[in-house]
């Protein structure tokens, strides 16, 4: 009877261990995603954790390893702040390689998280050819869903504050800092559509037009 009890106890322990190993494998996994341009290879180390309902995964970029293409030598490892860009988004929306300060060198940005509104927040790092390092640029982090126009050297942002408040903003680098130079805001209020346009004039944003259109026929 004692021997049977011991065997049963061992079987229970082994079953529990196998269950934990199986669950751990399903609940947590790691992967690497590689991007590249003509100068560098960017390797993202991503942790994905299965949600409690075993339906969705939460992804976190733990590190960004940067190596030179010419000799595959690692020059830098970036450990981003808290992020959860989501596992279902295309990889090219999570991590983007492009020139964001219009100096002719590619820079990088990483999606912070996937919000309910279509305002995508990013972390940014610009490449310094002198130090050959990527430096974080927090000044850009207030610009949601940015689009960088390489020809005009302008940054465009299309945003939504609420169901009834949205608009677009245009930024230009002034003394090395992204500066708001033009903004259009559209509000739906009391059956009216109010559109205001502001532009930077002599260093200050000034109202240049305001239109009100009656949208509620009643």
């Amino acid at each position: 009877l004692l021997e049977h009890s011991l065997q049963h106890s061992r079987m229970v322990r082994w079953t529990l261990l196998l269950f934990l190993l199986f669950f751990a494998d399903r609940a947590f996994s790691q992967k690497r995603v590689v991007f590249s341009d003509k100068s560098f290879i960017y390797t993202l180390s991503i942790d994905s954790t299965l949600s409690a309902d075993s339906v969705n995964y939460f992804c976190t970029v733990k590190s960004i390893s940067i190596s030179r293409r010419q000799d595959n030598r690692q020059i830098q490892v970036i450990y981003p702040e808290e992020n959860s860009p989501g596992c279902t988004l295309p990889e090219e929306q999570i991590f983007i390689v492009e020139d964001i300060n219009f100096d002719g060198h590619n820079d990088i940005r990483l999606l912070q998280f996937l919000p309910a509104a279509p305002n995508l927040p990013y972390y940014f790092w610009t490449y310094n050819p002198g130090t050959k390092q990527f430096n974080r640029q927090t000044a850009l982090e207030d610009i949601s869903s940015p689009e960088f126009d390489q020809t005009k050297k302008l940054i465009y942002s299309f945003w939504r504050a609420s169901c009834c408040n949205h608009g677009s903003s245009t930024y230009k680098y002034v003394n090395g800092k992204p500066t708001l130079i033009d903004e259009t805001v559209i509000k739906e209020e009391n059956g009216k559509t109010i559109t205001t346009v502001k532009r930077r004039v002599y260093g200050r944003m000034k109202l240049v037009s305001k239109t009100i259109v009656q949208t509620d026929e009643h």
Side-chain angles (χ1 to χ4, degrees):
L1 181 63
L2 178 60
E3 183 178 352
H4 177 74
S5 178
L6 290 173
Q7 289 179 349
H8 178 71
S9 178
R10 291 195 204 95
M11 288 181 62
V12 170
R13 287 199 298 270
W14 274 107
T15 301
L16 179 60
L17 178 61
L18 290 173
F19 173 80
L20 290 173
L21 289 173
F22 173 76
F23 180 80
D25 180 63
R26 292 193 60 200
F28 180 81
S29 62
Q30 292 182 324
K31 69 174 183 177
R32 294 182 182 276
V33 179
V34 179
F35 298 81
S36 64
D37 59 17
K38 64 181 181 180
S39 301
F40 300 106
I41 299 171
Y42 311 89
T43 304
L44 276 62
S45 177
I46 301 176
D47 287 353
S48 59
T49 306
L50 189 63
S51 61
D53 58 10
S54 299
V55 174
N56 300 306
Y57 277 88
F58 300 104
C59 284
T60 300
V61 177
K62 304 299 289 186
S63 65
I64 304 169
S65 174
I66 304 171
S67 303
R68 295 190 309 200
R69 280 190 69 118
Q70 62 182 15
D71 56 9
N72 206 34
R73 179 181 177 183
Q74 185 184 88
I75 64 164
Q76 187 177 3
V77 179
I78 296 173
Y79 299 97
E81 288 189 8
E82 183 177 356
N83 65 87
S84 53
C87 303
T88 58
L89 284 177
E91 294 171 352
E92 60 271 16
Q93 289 186 16
I94 296 174
F95 185 78
I96 300 174
V97 181
E98 64 180 332
D99 184 2
I100 63 177
N101 58 356
F102 313 122
D103 67 347
H105 298 278
N106 272 345
D107 310 296
I108 57 177
R109 54 174 161 140
L110 173 69
L111 186 64
Q112 296 183 25
F113 59 90
L114 184 61
N119 305 323
L120 300 180
Y122 286 88
Y123 293 121
F124 298 86
W125 294 267
T126 54
Y127 180 67
N128 185 327
T131 62
K132 302 186 185 306
Q133 295 283 293
F134 288 82
N135 302 317
R136 185 173 168 188
Q137 297 299 325
T138 57
L140 289 164
E141 293 175 11
D142 291 330
I143 304 176
S144 65
S145 304
E147 296 180 8
F148 297 86
D149 188 325
Q150 302 296 325
T151 302
K152 296 181 179 179
K153 300 188 183 331
L154 295 174
I155 306 170
Y156 302 110
S157 172
F158 301 91
W159 48 267
R160 179 174 293 277
S162 66
C163 65
C164 308
N165 187 356
H166 63 279
S168 61
S169 303
T170 303
Y171 297 81
K172 180 180 181 179
Y173 281 99
V174 178
N175 297 323
K177 296 182 179 180
T179 303
L180 181 65
I181 61 169
D182 188 285
E183 186 170 63
T184 299
V185 178
I186 302 173
K187 291 184 178 181
E188 303 290 339
E189 189 175 88
N190 298 325
K192 300 177 182 178
T193 299
I194 304 170
T195 303
T196 58
V197 178
K198 293 182 179 180
R199 291 194 178 96
R200 184 168 294 276
V201 180
Y202 298 114
R204 293 185 178 183
M205 294 296 291
K206 293 187 176 182
L207 179 67
V208 294
S209 70
K210 182 176 182 178
T211 59
I212 302 175
V213 178
Q214 188 75 34
T215 55
D216 187 352
E217 297 180 357
H218 302 288

